[in-house]
Amino acid sequence: MKSIGRLVGLYVVLLAAFTVSIIAVHAIPTSMVRENVSRSADIIEEEGIFRKILGFELFKIDNMTDCMMLNMNVNADSREPVKSAMLNEFAKDYSGRQGYFGMARATKHLAENGRESMPEQVGYGRYWHGYQLLLRPLLVFFDYAQIRIINFFCLFSLTVLVSVMMYRRYHWAYAAGLLVSLAVINFPIVPFAIQFSTCFYIAFLSMFAVMRFPALTKNVENSLMTFFVIGALTGFMDFLTTPQLTLGLPLLLCLIDLNDFKRWHYIICVGVSWLSGYALLWASKWLVAYLLTGINIFQSAVDSIELRVSNTVVVGGNAISMEELYEKTSRQLFNIVSPSIILAVLGIIIILGILHIVFRWKASQQYGYLLLVAGIVPVWYIFLKNHSLQHIFFTWRALLLSIYSVLLFVYFTIQPEKENE
Protein backbone atom coordinates (compact mmCIF):
# COMPACT_ATOMS: atom_id res chain seq x y z
CA MET A 1 0.00 0.00 0.00
CA LYS A 2 2.86 2.32 0.86
CA SER A 3 4.49 1.63 -2.51
CA ILE A 4 1.26 2.49 -4.35
CA GLY A 5 1.04 5.79 -2.48
CA ARG A 6 4.63 6.66 -3.39
CA LEU A 7 4.02 5.77 -7.04
CA VAL A 8 0.91 7.97 -7.14
CA GLY A 9 2.89 10.86 -5.68
CA LEU A 10 5.68 10.25 -8.17
CA TYR A 11 3.16 10.20 -11.01
CA VAL A 12 1.79 13.61 -9.99
CA VAL A 13 5.28 15.12 -9.73
CA LEU A 14 6.35 13.75 -13.11
CA LEU A 15 3.16 14.89 -14.83
CA ALA A 16 3.61 18.41 -13.46
CA ALA A 17 7.29 18.46 -14.42
CA PHE A 18 6.61 17.21 -17.96
CA THR A 19 3.83 19.74 -18.50
CA VAL A 20 5.70 22.76 -17.16
CA SER A 21 8.98 21.93 -18.90
CA ILE A 22 7.49 21.29 -22.34
CA ILE A 23 5.51 24.54 -22.18
CA ALA A 24 8.56 26.47 -20.96
CA VAL A 25 10.78 25.33 -23.82
CA HIS A 26 8.14 26.38 -26.35
CA ALA A 27 8.32 29.89 -24.90
CA ILE A 28 11.76 30.28 -26.48
CA PRO A 29 11.14 32.75 -29.34
CA THR A 30 10.76 30.93 -32.64
CA SER A 31 12.68 33.76 -34.31
CA MET A 32 15.80 32.50 -32.52
CA VAL A 33 15.73 29.11 -34.24
CA ARG A 34 14.68 30.12 -37.77
CA GLU A 35 18.15 30.58 -39.25
CA ASN A 36 19.54 27.27 -38.01
CA VAL A 37 16.37 25.40 -38.99
CA SER A 38 16.63 26.85 -42.51
CA ARG A 39 20.25 25.69 -42.83
CA SER A 40 19.30 22.32 -41.38
CA ALA A 41 16.55 21.88 -43.97
CA ASP A 42 19.11 22.50 -46.72
CA ILE A 43 21.36 19.80 -45.26
CA ILE A 44 18.52 17.27 -45.15
CA GLU A 45 17.32 18.19 -48.65
CA GLU A 46 20.81 17.55 -50.01
CA GLU A 47 21.16 14.19 -48.21
CA GLY A 48 17.67 12.98 -49.07
CA ILE A 49 14.69 12.52 -46.81
CA PHE A 50 15.41 8.79 -46.42
CA ARG A 51 19.14 8.21 -46.72
CA LYS A 52 20.31 4.61 -47.10
CA ILE A 53 23.83 3.71 -46.01
CA LEU A 54 25.36 1.19 -48.44
CA GLY A 55 21.92 0.95 -50.08
CA PHE A 56 20.69 -1.29 -47.24
CA GLU A 57 17.10 -0.82 -45.98
CA LEU A 58 17.95 -1.57 -42.34
CA PHE A 59 20.73 1.04 -42.46
CA LYS A 60 18.35 3.79 -43.55
CA ILE A 61 18.61 7.11 -41.70
CA ASP A 62 15.28 8.72 -40.90
CA ASN A 63 15.99 12.27 -42.00
CA MET A 64 12.26 12.70 -42.54
CA THR A 65 11.29 12.39 -38.88
CA ASP A 66 14.20 14.56 -37.78
CA CYS A 67 13.08 17.14 -40.34
CA MET A 68 9.54 16.93 -38.95
CA MET A 69 10.97 17.67 -35.51
CA LEU A 70 12.70 20.74 -36.94
CA ASN A 71 9.46 21.66 -38.70
CA MET A 72 7.57 21.62 -35.38
CA ASN A 73 10.20 23.92 -33.89
CA VAL A 74 9.89 26.58 -36.54
CA ASN A 75 6.13 26.10 -36.81
CA ALA A 76 5.58 26.63 -33.08
CA ASP A 77 4.04 29.94 -32.05
CA SER A 78 6.13 31.02 -29.06
CA ARG A 79 3.50 33.66 -28.27
CA GLU A 80 1.17 30.76 -27.44
CA PRO A 81 3.54 28.25 -25.80
CA VAL A 82 0.75 26.25 -24.15
CA LYS A 83 -1.06 25.57 -27.40
CA SER A 84 2.18 24.90 -29.29
CA ALA A 85 3.46 22.50 -26.63
CA MET A 86 0.20 20.56 -26.44
CA LEU A 87 -0.79 20.30 -30.12
CA ASN A 88 2.69 19.93 -31.67
CA GLU A 89 1.64 20.97 -35.15
CA PHE A 90 3.78 20.79 -38.27
CA ALA A 91 3.17 21.79 -41.88
CA LYS A 92 3.99 19.63 -44.87
CA ASP A 93 3.91 19.86 -48.64
CA TYR A 94 0.91 17.84 -49.78
CA SER A 95 2.05 17.75 -53.40
CA GLY A 96 4.58 14.97 -52.83
CA ARG A 97 4.12 11.29 -52.10
CA GLN A 98 2.28 11.20 -48.76
CA GLY A 99 3.52 14.75 -48.30
CA TYR A 100 6.61 13.54 -46.47
CA PHE A 101 9.10 13.66 -49.31
CA GLY A 102 8.65 17.42 -49.40
CA MET A 103 9.30 17.82 -45.68
CA ALA A 104 12.67 19.54 -46.11
CA ARG A 105 11.28 22.07 -48.61
CA ALA A 106 8.25 22.73 -46.39
CA THR A 107 10.48 23.22 -43.36
CA LYS A 108 12.73 25.69 -45.16
CA HIS A 109 9.67 27.57 -46.42
CA LEU A 110 8.33 27.80 -42.86
CA ALA A 111 11.68 29.02 -41.53
CA GLU A 112 11.88 31.77 -44.13
CA ASN A 113 8.22 32.81 -44.39
CA GLY A 114 6.61 31.93 -41.08
CA ARG A 115 3.72 29.78 -39.93
CA GLU A 116 1.12 31.94 -41.69
CA SER A 117 2.58 31.03 -45.10
CA MET A 118 1.47 27.39 -44.68
CA PRO A 119 -2.02 27.39 -43.14
CA GLU A 120 -2.51 23.60 -43.49
CA GLN A 121 -1.37 22.17 -40.17
CA VAL A 122 -1.03 18.56 -38.99
CA GLY A 123 -1.39 17.88 -35.27
CA TYR A 124 0.96 15.42 -33.59
CA GLY A 125 -0.20 15.99 -30.06
CA ARG A 126 -0.51 12.34 -29.10
CA TYR A 127 3.22 12.42 -28.18
CA TRP A 128 4.84 14.61 -25.51
CA HIS A 129 7.81 15.46 -27.78
CA GLY A 130 10.03 15.77 -24.73
CA TYR A 131 13.15 15.72 -26.92
CA GLN A 132 12.34 19.39 -27.59
CA LEU A 133 13.75 20.21 -24.14
CA LEU A 134 17.17 19.63 -25.70
CA LEU A 135 16.59 20.18 -29.41
CA ARG A 136 14.95 23.61 -29.27
CA PRO A 137 17.69 25.27 -27.16
CA LEU A 138 20.37 23.63 -29.33
CA LEU A 139 18.77 25.07 -32.47
CA VAL A 140 19.30 28.56 -31.08
CA PHE A 141 23.05 28.05 -31.50
CA PHE A 142 23.61 25.14 -33.90
CA ASP A 143 22.35 23.71 -37.18
CA TYR A 144 21.58 20.05 -37.87
CA ALA A 145 25.12 19.10 -38.91
CA GLN A 146 26.60 20.61 -35.76
CA ILE A 147 23.98 18.97 -33.55
CA ARG A 148 24.88 15.62 -35.11
CA ILE A 149 28.52 16.13 -34.11
CA ILE A 150 27.46 16.91 -30.55
CA ASN A 151 25.19 13.86 -30.59
CA PHE A 152 28.00 11.59 -31.78
CA PHE A 153 30.36 12.82 -29.09
CA CYS A 154 27.83 12.56 -26.25
CA LEU A 155 26.36 9.18 -27.20
CA PHE A 156 29.70 7.48 -27.83
CA SER A 157 31.20 8.96 -24.65
CA LEU A 158 28.25 7.63 -22.67
CA THR A 159 28.65 4.21 -24.30
CA VAL A 160 32.32 4.06 -23.32
CA LEU A 161 31.55 5.22 -19.78
CA VAL A 162 28.87 2.57 -19.24
CA SER A 163 31.04 -0.17 -20.77
CA VAL A 164 34.01 0.69 -18.54
CA MET A 165 31.80 0.78 -15.43
CA MET A 166 30.34 -2.63 -16.31
CA TYR A 167 33.81 -4.07 -16.87
CA ARG A 168 35.04 -2.82 -13.50
CA ARG A 169 31.97 -3.71 -11.47
CA TYR A 170 30.81 -6.97 -13.07
CA HIS A 171 32.20 -9.77 -15.20
CA TRP A 172 34.03 -8.64 -18.34
CA ALA A 173 31.45 -10.54 -20.42
CA TYR A 174 28.79 -7.93 -19.66
CA ALA A 175 30.83 -5.14 -21.24
CA ALA A 176 32.06 -7.27 -24.13
CA GLY A 177 28.59 -8.59 -24.86
CA LEU A 178 27.16 -5.09 -24.97
CA LEU A 179 29.82 -3.88 -27.41
CA VAL A 180 29.35 -6.92 -29.67
CA SER A 181 25.58 -6.42 -29.66
CA LEU A 182 25.98 -2.73 -30.51
CA ALA A 183 28.17 -3.69 -33.45
CA VAL A 184 25.55 -6.17 -34.71
CA ILE A 185 22.83 -3.49 -34.82
CA ASN A 186 25.23 -1.03 -36.52
CA PHE A 187 25.24 1.39 -33.61
CA PRO A 188 27.48 3.97 -35.40
CA ILE A 189 24.48 4.90 -37.56
CA VAL A 190 22.28 5.74 -34.55
CA PRO A 191 23.68 9.25 -33.79
CA PHE A 192 23.01 10.32 -37.38
CA ALA A 193 19.32 10.62 -36.44
CA ILE A 194 18.14 12.45 -33.35
CA GLN A 195 15.01 10.31 -33.08
CA PHE A 196 17.10 7.12 -33.22
CA SER A 197 19.17 8.29 -30.25
CA THR A 198 16.64 9.05 -27.50
CA CYS A 199 16.10 5.53 -26.15
CA PHE A 200 19.82 4.78 -26.23
CA TYR A 201 20.44 7.86 -24.08
CA ILE A 202 17.72 6.87 -21.62
CA ALA A 203 18.91 3.25 -21.48
CA PHE A 204 22.59 4.11 -21.00
CA LEU A 205 21.89 6.87 -18.46
CA SER A 206 19.66 4.44 -16.56
CA MET A 207 22.45 1.86 -16.58
CA PHE A 208 24.86 4.49 -15.30
CA ALA A 209 22.40 5.48 -12.56
CA VAL A 210 21.79 1.97 -11.22
CA MET A 211 25.55 1.32 -11.12
CA ARG A 212 26.53 4.68 -9.64
CA PHE A 213 23.68 4.92 -7.14
CA PRO A 214 22.91 1.42 -5.78
CA ALA A 215 20.21 2.82 -3.48
CA LEU A 216 17.96 3.27 -6.51
CA THR A 217 17.50 -0.51 -6.74
CA LYS A 218 18.57 -1.75 -3.30
CA ASN A 219 15.12 -3.30 -2.74
CA VAL A 220 11.96 -4.02 -4.72
CA GLU A 221 10.19 -0.86 -3.58
CA ASN A 222 13.02 1.41 -4.71
CA SER A 223 13.27 -0.53 -7.95
CA LEU A 224 9.57 -0.01 -8.64
CA MET A 225 10.03 3.74 -8.25
CA THR A 226 13.16 3.80 -10.40
CA PHE A 227 11.68 1.83 -13.29
CA PHE A 228 8.43 3.82 -13.11
CA VAL A 229 10.52 6.95 -13.73
CA ILE A 230 12.49 5.28 -16.54
CA GLY A 231 9.25 4.21 -18.24
CA ALA A 232 7.75 7.68 -17.82
CA LEU A 233 10.84 9.38 -19.27
CA THR A 234 10.75 6.98 -22.23
CA GLY A 235 7.13 7.90 -23.00
CA PHE A 236 7.99 11.57 -22.61
CA MET A 237 11.06 11.63 -24.84
CA ASP A 238 10.58 8.90 -27.44
CA PHE A 239 8.78 8.39 -30.75
CA LEU A 240 8.21 4.63 -30.27
CA THR A 241 11.64 3.81 -31.67
CA THR A 242 13.35 1.27 -29.36
CA PRO A 243 11.68 1.72 -25.94
CA GLN A 244 12.34 -1.91 -24.95
CA LEU A 245 16.00 -0.98 -24.41
CA THR A 246 15.18 1.43 -21.59
CA LEU A 247 13.53 -1.42 -19.67
CA GLY A 248 15.77 -4.35 -20.56
CA LEU A 249 19.31 -2.96 -20.40
CA PRO A 250 19.18 -1.50 -16.86
CA LEU A 251 17.08 -4.50 -15.79
CA LEU A 252 19.89 -6.89 -16.75
CA LEU A 253 22.27 -5.07 -14.41
CA CYS A 254 19.79 -5.19 -11.55
CA LEU A 255 19.39 -8.96 -11.93
CA ILE A 256 23.05 -9.87 -11.59
CA ASP A 257 23.21 -10.04 -7.79
CA LEU A 258 19.78 -11.61 -7.17
CA ASN A 259 19.13 -15.31 -6.55
CA ASP A 260 17.20 -17.43 -9.05
CA PHE A 261 13.72 -17.13 -7.51
CA LYS A 262 13.97 -13.40 -6.87
CA ARG A 263 15.04 -12.74 -10.46
CA TRP A 264 11.80 -14.01 -11.98
CA HIS A 265 9.72 -12.14 -9.42
CA TYR A 266 11.82 -9.01 -9.91
CA ILE A 267 11.43 -9.05 -13.70
CA ILE A 268 7.64 -9.17 -13.44
CA CYS A 269 7.42 -6.45 -10.78
CA VAL A 270 9.71 -3.89 -12.40
CA GLY A 271 8.34 -4.72 -15.86
CA VAL A 272 4.83 -3.82 -14.72
CA SER A 273 6.16 -0.68 -13.02
CA TRP A 274 8.05 0.43 -16.15
CA LEU A 275 5.01 -0.20 -18.33
CA SER A 276 2.78 1.69 -15.88
CA GLY A 277 5.04 4.74 -15.98
CA TYR A 278 5.33 4.52 -19.76
CA ALA A 279 1.61 4.15 -20.48
CA LEU A 280 0.16 6.37 -17.73
CA LEU A 281 2.36 9.39 -18.35
CA TRP A 282 1.97 9.08 -22.11
CA ALA A 283 -1.83 8.83 -21.98
CA SER A 284 -1.95 11.69 -19.47
CA LYS A 285 -0.67 14.02 -22.21
CA TRP A 286 -3.99 13.61 -24.00
CA LEU A 287 -5.95 14.73 -20.94
CA VAL A 288 -3.57 17.60 -20.15
CA ALA A 289 -3.79 18.83 -23.75
CA TYR A 290 -7.58 18.82 -23.58
CA LEU A 291 -7.69 20.62 -20.24
CA LEU A 292 -5.24 23.32 -21.34
CA THR A 293 -6.44 23.91 -24.90
CA GLY A 294 -9.99 22.56 -25.07
CA ILE A 295 -8.98 20.55 -28.15
CA ASN A 296 -9.73 16.83 -28.05
CA ILE A 297 -6.82 14.69 -29.25
CA PHE A 298 -8.14 11.46 -27.72
CA GLN A 299 -9.62 10.25 -30.99
CA SER A 300 -6.33 10.79 -32.81
CA ALA A 301 -4.54 8.79 -30.12
CA VAL A 302 -7.11 5.98 -30.19
CA ASP A 303 -6.97 5.81 -34.00
CA SER A 304 -3.17 5.57 -33.82
CA ILE A 305 -3.33 2.76 -31.24
CA GLU A 306 -5.79 0.81 -33.38
CA LEU A 307 -3.51 1.24 -36.39
CA ARG A 308 -0.33 0.18 -34.57
CA VAL A 309 -1.85 -3.08 -33.33
CA SER A 310 -3.64 -3.77 -36.61
CA ASN A 311 -2.94 -6.48 -39.16
CA THR A 312 -2.15 -4.11 -42.03
CA VAL A 313 0.86 -2.14 -43.26
CA VAL A 314 1.28 0.56 -45.90
CA VAL A 315 3.52 -0.37 -48.84
CA GLY A 316 3.94 2.07 -51.72
CA GLY A 317 1.05 4.15 -50.44
CA ASN A 318 -1.33 1.17 -50.35
CA ALA A 319 -2.59 -0.65 -47.25
CA ILE A 320 -2.10 -4.41 -47.44
CA SER A 321 -2.55 -7.21 -44.92
CA MET A 322 0.32 -8.88 -43.09
CA GLU A 323 -0.51 -12.08 -44.98
CA GLU A 324 -0.14 -10.34 -48.36
CA LEU A 325 3.16 -8.81 -47.28
CA TYR A 326 4.41 -12.18 -46.05
CA GLU A 327 3.53 -13.83 -49.36
CA LYS A 328 5.19 -11.04 -51.33
CA THR A 329 8.42 -11.02 -49.32
CA SER A 330 8.51 -14.81 -49.19
CA ARG A 331 8.41 -15.04 -52.97
CA GLN A 332 11.22 -12.49 -53.26
CA LEU A 333 13.30 -14.25 -50.60
CA PHE A 334 12.75 -17.69 -52.09
CA ASN A 335 13.98 -16.41 -55.45
CA ILE A 336 17.30 -15.76 -53.73
CA VAL A 337 17.48 -18.60 -51.20
CA SER A 338 15.76 -21.98 -51.41
CA PRO A 339 13.02 -22.55 -48.78
CA SER A 340 14.60 -25.90 -47.91
CA ILE A 341 17.89 -24.16 -47.04
CA ILE A 342 16.10 -21.65 -44.82
CA LEU A 343 14.15 -24.39 -43.03
CA ALA A 344 17.31 -26.47 -42.63
CA VAL A 345 19.24 -23.59 -41.06
CA LEU A 346 16.35 -22.73 -38.71
CA GLY A 347 16.00 -26.40 -37.77
CA ILE A 348 19.69 -26.73 -36.97
CA ILE A 349 19.62 -23.60 -34.81
CA ILE A 350 16.58 -24.85 -32.87
CA ILE A 351 18.03 -28.33 -32.36
CA LEU A 352 21.38 -26.94 -31.20
CA GLY A 353 19.58 -24.61 -28.79
CA ILE A 354 17.54 -27.46 -27.30
CA LEU A 355 20.59 -29.71 -26.99
CA HIS A 356 22.56 -26.93 -25.32
CA ILE A 357 19.83 -26.40 -22.72
CA VAL A 358 19.45 -30.15 -22.10
CA PHE A 359 23.17 -30.87 -21.67
CA ARG A 360 23.74 -27.70 -19.63
CA TRP A 361 20.48 -28.01 -17.70
CA LYS A 362 21.72 -26.79 -14.31
CA ALA A 363 23.40 -23.70 -15.77
CA SER A 364 20.43 -23.09 -18.08
CA GLN A 365 18.13 -23.01 -15.08
CA GLN A 366 20.39 -20.55 -13.31
CA TYR A 367 20.66 -18.20 -16.29
CA GLY A 368 17.26 -18.86 -17.85
CA TYR A 369 16.09 -15.42 -16.77
CA LEU A 370 18.25 -14.01 -19.56
CA LEU A 371 16.02 -15.73 -22.11
CA LEU A 372 12.99 -14.15 -20.44
CA VAL A 373 14.56 -10.71 -20.86
CA ALA A 374 15.43 -11.58 -24.47
CA GLY A 375 11.74 -12.34 -25.06
CA ILE A 376 10.66 -8.78 -24.23
CA VAL A 377 11.42 -7.60 -27.77
CA PRO A 378 9.56 -10.28 -29.80
CA VAL A 379 6.53 -9.97 -27.49
CA TRP A 380 6.53 -6.21 -28.13
CA TYR A 381 6.82 -6.83 -31.88
CA ILE A 382 3.83 -9.17 -31.82
CA PHE A 383 1.67 -6.75 -29.84
CA LEU A 384 2.58 -3.67 -31.91
CA LYS A 385 2.91 -5.60 -35.15
CA ASN A 386 1.90 -2.77 -37.50
CA HIS A 387 4.34 -0.24 -36.08
CA SER A 388 7.16 -2.76 -35.67
CA LEU A 389 6.95 -3.85 -39.32
CA GLN A 390 6.01 -0.48 -40.85
CA HIS A 391 9.10 1.12 -39.30
CA ILE A 392 11.34 -1.91 -39.28
CA PHE A 393 14.32 0.13 -40.47
CA PHE A 394 14.65 1.50 -36.94
CA THR A 395 12.51 -0.78 -34.74
CA TRP A 396 14.83 -3.72 -35.55
CA ARG A 397 17.54 -2.16 -33.37
CA ALA A 398 15.56 -3.11 -30.29
CA LEU A 399 16.86 -6.62 -31.01
CA LEU A 400 20.02 -5.37 -29.32
CA LEU A 401 18.39 -6.44 -26.06
CA SER A 402 17.62 -9.96 -27.33
CA ILE A 403 21.05 -10.41 -28.89
CA TYR A 404 22.79 -9.18 -25.74
CA SER A 405 20.72 -11.40 -23.44
CA VAL A 406 21.26 -14.51 -25.59
CA LEU A 407 25.02 -13.86 -25.82
CA LEU A 408 25.22 -13.64 -22.03
CA PHE A 409 23.14 -16.80 -21.67
CA VAL A 410 25.36 -18.77 -24.04
CA TYR A 411 28.57 -17.50 -22.47
CA PHE A 412 27.63 -18.22 -18.86
CA THR A 413 26.05 -21.60 -19.58
CA ILE A 414 29.15 -22.94 -21.35
CA GLN A 415 31.40 -22.18 -18.39
CA PRO A 416 32.70 -25.04 -16.22
CA GLU A 417 30.12 -26.12 -13.66
CA LYS A 418 32.06 -24.68 -10.72
CA GLU A 419 31.71 -21.16 -12.13
CA ASN A 420 27.93 -21.47 -12.15
CA GLU A 421 27.62 -22.37 -8.47
Side-chain angles (χ1 to χ4, degrees), residues 96-333:
R97 176 186 167 194
Q98 299 176 332
Y100 293 117
F101 285 80
M103 187 64 71
R105 293 189 297 274
T107 301
K108 184 173 180 63
H109 181 84
L110 275 172
E112 295 179 346
N113 300 286
R115 175 185 173 93
E116 295 75 16
S117 66
M118 296 188 72
E120 296 290 337
Q121 304 291 319
V122 180
Y124 212 4
R126 62 181 178 271
Y127 289 98
W128 276 103
H129 301 275
Y131 58 83
Q132 296 287 14
L133 267 61
L134 299 172
L135 180 58
R136 192 167 177 85
L138 283 171
L139 285 169
V140 174
F141 305 101
F142 307 107
D143 63 27
Y144 189 58
Q146 294 164 332
I147 291 174
R148 271 180 172 170
I149 294 173
I150 295 171
N151 195 35
F152 261 96
F153 175 78
C154 291
L155 196 52
F156 272 88
S157 297
L158 185 57
T159 304
V160 171
L161 174 62
V162 168
S163 300
V164 171
M165 290 180 70
M166 292 170 68
Y167 173 76
R168 290 179 174 176
R169 179 163 181 170
Y170 306 114
H171 196 288
W172 65 266
Y174 287 96
L178 178 63
L179 295 177
V180 170
S181 303
L182 287 171
V184 172
I185 61 135
N186 197 4
F187 180 66
I189 281 182
V190 171
F192 273 101
I194 299 168
Q195 74 120 350
F196 286 178
S197 306
T198 50
C199 283
F200 284 91
Y201 275 115
I202 296 170
F204 290 157
L205 286 171
S206 298
M207 295 170 78
F208 170 82
V210 299
M211 288 188 286
R212 180 65 179 83
F213 307 104
L216 292 174
T217 54
K218 70 177 181 179
N219 53 43
V220 174
E221 184 176 356
N222 284 16
S223 297
L224 293 177
M225 303 285 286
T226 297
F227 277 88
F228 185 89
V229 172
I230 295 173
L233 286 172
T234 305
F236 179 64
M237 299 290 293
D238 185 45
F239 260 142
L240 257 180
T241 55
T242 51
Q244 309 92 318
L245 301 182
T246 72
L247 167 61
L249 291 180
L251 174 59
L252 284 173
L253 298 183
C254 297
L255 294 170
I256 293 174
D257 297 324
L258 297 178
N259 64 40
D260 295 346
F261 173 76
K262 288 184 177 179
R263 281 171 176 153
W264 295 85
H265 177 261
Y266 190 90
I267 291 171
I268 295 172
C269 288
V270 300
V272 170
S273 184
W274 180 93
L275 186 60
S276 298
Y278 183 78
L280 284 174
L281 269 298
W282 188 356
S284 295
K285 163 68 188 299
W286 313 334
L287 177 60
V288 170
Y290 177 72
L291 293 176
L292 295 181
T293 68
I295 298 175
N296 188 349
I297 63 173
F298 280 90
Q299 191 56 52
S300 171
V302 171
D303 290 343
S304 178
I305 292 172
E306 291 178 349
L307 172 64
R308 294 317 181 191
V309 300
S310 71
N311 196 41
T312 61
V313 291
V314 177
V315 178
N318 300 313
I320 64 174
S321 68
M322 296 285 185
E323 291 77 12
E324 291 178 271
L325 180 64
Y326 172 75
E327 292 178 3
K328 180 179 179 181
T329 53
S330 295
R331 286 195 300 268
Q332 294 175 343
L333 178 62

